[in-house]
Amino acid sequence: MDRQLMLFACFLLLVSSTQAIGVKYCDKKKNYAVTIQQVKIIPDPVVTGKPATFNISAVTGQAVYGGKVVINVAYFGVPVHQETRDVCEEVSCPIAAGDFVLSHTQTLPSFTPPGSYTLKMTMEDKNNEELTCFSFNFKIGFRSLVSDS
């Protein structure tokens, strides 16, 4: 009986650490050229002072030859960070029609407060046409007081 309980506990731990991150589109009625399939954050929760990678799996029905990605981050609804990046810095251009992954790694300052954050991302083509706009929530946890080295 103890062995079954241990296996069940391991299963629950595995499932809880691989939960999908819910994505909300900015305009639920709009037919975006780029749709989001999945968002993975490594590690989850994000740890201050350590690199965090955001992998966004997406699909486009048209080739994308350039443009920009606008990222806005809010902490409990209060805007705390905004940046604009060349889409070709985040993914190899041109992006062919089909599946692609936009990946961004960033190390947050050690003084970043733990808690719930919302990231809103807008992607535009080189003619400033909006290809997608979505948001998702993520958490920043406390940094371990024990050295990792």
Side-chain angles (χ1 to χ4, degrees):
M1 196 62 127
D2 288 332
R3 185 174 185 185
Q4 288 178 336
L5 186 58
M6 180 68 93
L7 287 173
F8 183 70
C10 289
F11 174 76
L12 286 178
L13 183 63
L14 179 65
V15 169
S16 68
S17 67
T18 59
Q19 288 180 342
I21 294 171
V23 172
K24 296 178 187 170
Y25 287 100
C26 301
D27 183 346
K28 294 176 185 169
K29 295 178 183 178
K30 188 169 181 176
N31 187 18
Y32 291 108
V34 173
T35 57
I36 308 307
Q37 302 300 308
Q38 182 179 43
V39 174
K40 284 187 181 177
I41 304 172
I42 304 165
D44 187 11
V46 173
V47 179
T48 59
K50 301 279 185 179
T53 301
F54 294 79
N55 291 319
I56 300 164
S57 301
V59 176
T60 180
Q62 64 190 50
V64 178
Y65 297 96
K68 65 183 176 181
V69 175
V70 180
I71 300 168
N72 291 288
V73 180
Y75 179 59
F76 290 107
V78 178
V80 293
H81 179 75
Q82 195 268 338
E83 67 180 284
T84 301
R85 310 218 18 131
D86 186 312
V87 71
C88 297
E89 291 176 8
E90 306 301 313
V91 65
S92 181
C93 285
I95 302 169
D99 297 347
F100 69 97
V101 176
L102 190 144
S103 185
H104 180 72
T105 301
Q106 189 160 350
T107 301
L108 300 176
S110 59
F111 57 82
T112 305
S116 297
Y117 288 77
T118 301
L119 185 145
K120 176 184 171 188
M121 180 180 288
T122 303
M123 184 176 177
E124 298 176 0
D125 67 14
K126 61 183 181 178
N127 298 318
N128 295 322
E129 293 292 325
E130 187 177 70
L131 299 174
T132 195
C133 179
F134 64 95
S135 66
F136 59 88
N137 297 325
F138 68 100
K139 292 186 181 195
I140 296 179
F142 288 101
R143 183 172 181 174
S144 174
L145 298 175
V146 179
S147 175
D148 294 331
S149 50

